[in-house]
Amino acid sequence: MESLTSYTMTHTLSEIDCDWNGRILPGVLLRLTQQVATAHCEAMGLDRAFYNQHQLAFLMVKVAFQWEQVPCYGQTLHITTQPEMQKRATYKRITTVTDATTGEQLGLVDSRWVLVDVESRRILRRPPEEIATLQFEASLPQELPLVIEKAEQTSKVDDICASYTYCDWNGHMNNSRYADLCCDALPQELLWKESVRAMRISYHRELKAGEKGQIHRAQLADKSWYFTAHKMENDQQVPVFEANVMF
């Protein structure tokens, strides 16, 4: 296996990547973040066959992004991912987005991942040797705030469902789709006028294919929003995720 401390891919924003104002959708940014991380792992030999053989999967548990400048339709981006060595069962990845023409940094994504046994759904604190021996960075200085600012009172916005198009090969709603859920639960008139500048998501429980839940929201004082979602599990209401969206 090859040890690569970083990996870069190039992507030009098309119409399907952008909103009605031609700006990149937050969910698209998270899908690109996931794709570059996957490509990086595959370049090191950690492909689907490896995960299937060892019954493993990397799952995102927290993510935050922040734009200095929101990219628009037709813009070509360099998306670079850098992983950090495992710390307390968590793998940190920093993804930077730069303009391919000017080299200007446009945004940053701070994502945290855990390695799980797909059968037991337990977090692995001792990874296989093939992963433990990879030469990731010992420590990455970049980071974003990951703590969710909560609201005491929320109101229901909509029902949610882990439907076919929202799920990935792990059989649950893909991490990037939670950003879509939050954006869809925002007032449309706000999204016509403003760009989402930052987002934080904390994933509590997976929403498995076909499962349903409810999403609630509250507006905070500083042009930001709080979202939370719950589902029924063993006759109890349990949290699925929480998020902040900032403008």
Side-chain angles (χ1 to χ4, degrees):
M1 294 196 178
E2 186 177 3
S3 294
L4 302 171
T5 57
S6 67
Y7 188 94
T8 299
M9 72 177 194
T10 301
H11 181 80
T12 300
L13 294 177
S14 65
E15 290 182 7
I16 61 174
D17 296 324
C18 300
D19 67 6
W20 43 43
N21 289 311
R23 300 174 297 219
I24 187 173
L25 291 161
V28 168
L29 172 62
L30 295 190
R31 286 186 273 284
L32 290 172
T33 297
Q34 178 178 312
Q35 182 57 43
V36 72
T38 298
H40 185 203
C41 287
E42 289 176 347
M44 294 183 289
L46 305 179
D47 55 13
R48 186 169 184 178
F50 171 84
Y51 294 122
N52 288 343
Q53 177 186 353
H54 294 274
Q55 292 294 292
L56 301 175
F58 274 109
L59 299 182
M60 186 183 288
V61 292
K62 291 183 179 182
V63 66
F65 74 78
Q66 182 173 300
W67 289 118
E68 283 109 48
Q69 179 183 329
V70 181
C72 297
Y73 167 74
Q75 199 165 357
T76 299
L77 310 174
H78 284 162
I79 304 163
T80 300
T81 186
Q82 288 184 286
E84 189 179 88
M85 292 293 289
Q86 178 191 23
K87 294 180 180 178
R88 297 182 180 178
T90 302
Y91 297 82
K92 174 182 175 180
R93 270 189 180 270
I94 293 296
T95 304
T96 54
V97 181
T98 58
D99 185 286
T101 302
T102 66
E104 179 184 5
Q105 181 169 312
L106 306 175
L108 184 73
V109 184
D110 183 345
S111 57
R112 309 298 170 96
W113 305 73
V114 293
L115 190 64
V116 301
D117 182 307
V118 296
E119 293 295 327
S120 67
R121 313 308 283 183
R122 291 183 178 179
I123 297 173
L124 298 181
R125 298 185 179 277
R126 293 184 179 180
E129 183 180 358
E130 293 92 335
I131 296 178
T133 56
L134 290 173
Q135 298 302 308
F136 291 167
E137 294 287 348
S139 182
L140 293 170
Q142 307 102 311
E143 64 179 21
L144 292 174
L146 291 163
V147 176
I148 303 296
E149 183 181 354
K150 304 175 186 288
E152 292 184 4
Q153 293 186 334
T154 62
S155 57
K156 179 186 172 183
V157 185
D158 206 352
D159 295 316
I160 59 174
C161 178
S163 54
Y164 170 72
T165 58
Y166 270 36
C167 292
D168 56 28
W169 70 7
N170 292 313
H172 62 204
M173 186 177 287
N174 183 265
N175 68 77
S176 68
R177 294 299 184 177
Y178 293 92
D180 295 335
L181 291 176
C182 292
C183 290
D184 288 344
L186 285 163
Q188 285 195 4
E189 60 272 17
L190 175 61
L191 293 167
W192 277 110
K193 299 176 182 178
E194 303 273 358
S195 296
V196 175
R197 290 284 174 175
M199 187 177 286
R200 303 170 195 164
I201 307 175
S202 182
Y203 305 93
H204 299 308
R205 283 176 177 81
E206 60 184 347
L207 198 64
K208 298 177 183 177
E211 284 190 322
K212 298 179 180 180
Q214 295 182 346
I215 186 169
H216 294 242
R217 79 181 187 197
Q219 186 171 7
L220 302 174
D222 55 349
K223 292 187 70 175
S224 63
W225 294 75
Y226 170 70
F227 292 91
T228 182
H230 296 78
K231 68 174 183 176
M232 294 301 296
E233 186 175 277
N234 299 323
D235 296 323
Q236 292 185 332
Q237 195 176 61
V238 296
V240 175
F241 82 99
E242 293 178 284
N244 289 138
V245 179
M246 287 76 80
F247 289 87

